[in-house]
Amino acid sequence: MPIPSKFDLPQGTLDLLILRVVALGPVHGYAIVQRIQQISKDALHIQQGSLYPALHRLENKEFLTADWGPSETGREAKFYRLTTKGRAQLKAETESWTRLTEVVGMILQGELS
């Protein structure tokens, strides 16, 4: 069976990926999608119907803040920035995700002892 070249995101990981991309600097929604796609080498494609509800959720939790400004095309866009609370959340979620993938990896490799 061939390995798929594109993946569906496990539930809850979109928020983590958004926080990680926004941690690189202020960025608008379309650029977040492009960066995730670029960094994943086209393995992940985020639908705008998933992105914007996630951005609103992260703003409501005060992990992100946003301001309007001109994009690289000259059009107005909403630029998202990570808050102090968001940076702490990113650190906690990254540690949790790293530990989870280690444990799943151990199980898949049969390293239970």
Side-chain angles (χ1 to χ4, degrees):
M1 174 181 268
I3 298 172
S5 61
K6 295 181 181 177
F7 302 93
D8 291 329
L9 283 176
Q11 190 168 3
T13 56
L14 179 57
D15 290 5
L16 173 60
L17 297 180
I18 290 170
L19 291 174
R20 180 63 184 113
V21 169
V22 175
L24 299 173
V27 63
H28 56 77
Y30 181 69
I32 292 171
V33 169
Q34 288 181 316
R35 287 186 187 165
I36 290 172
Q37 189 173 327
Q38 179 185 24
I39 293 168
S40 73
K41 298 180 180 170
D42 286 331
L44 298 176
H45 288 257
I46 309 301
Q47 301 300 316
Q48 292 195 8
S50 299
L51 176 70
Y52 289 102
L55 288 169
H56 291 294
R57 185 172 53 249
L58 292 168
E59 273 190 283
N60 288 338
K61 291 180 178 177
E62 299 178 348
F63 296 152
L64 298 178
T65 185
D67 296 303
W68 288 93
S71 69
E72 58 280 350
T73 63
R75 296 178 62 186
E76 286 289 308
K78 196 171 184 181
F79 285 82
Y80 296 90
R81 287 181 282 111
L82 204 58
T83 64
T84 301
K85 188 175 176 181
R87 192 165 306 282
Q89 181 68 15
L90 173 60
K91 183 177 185 293
E93 284 193 39
T94 300
E95 290 171 358
S96 176
W97 181 257
T98 300
R99 182 64 185 135
L100 176 63
T101 57
E102 287 173 359
V103 171
V104 171
M106 287 188 308
I107 293 169
L108 294 177
Q109 299 296 318
E111 295 180 16
L112 294 176
S113 56

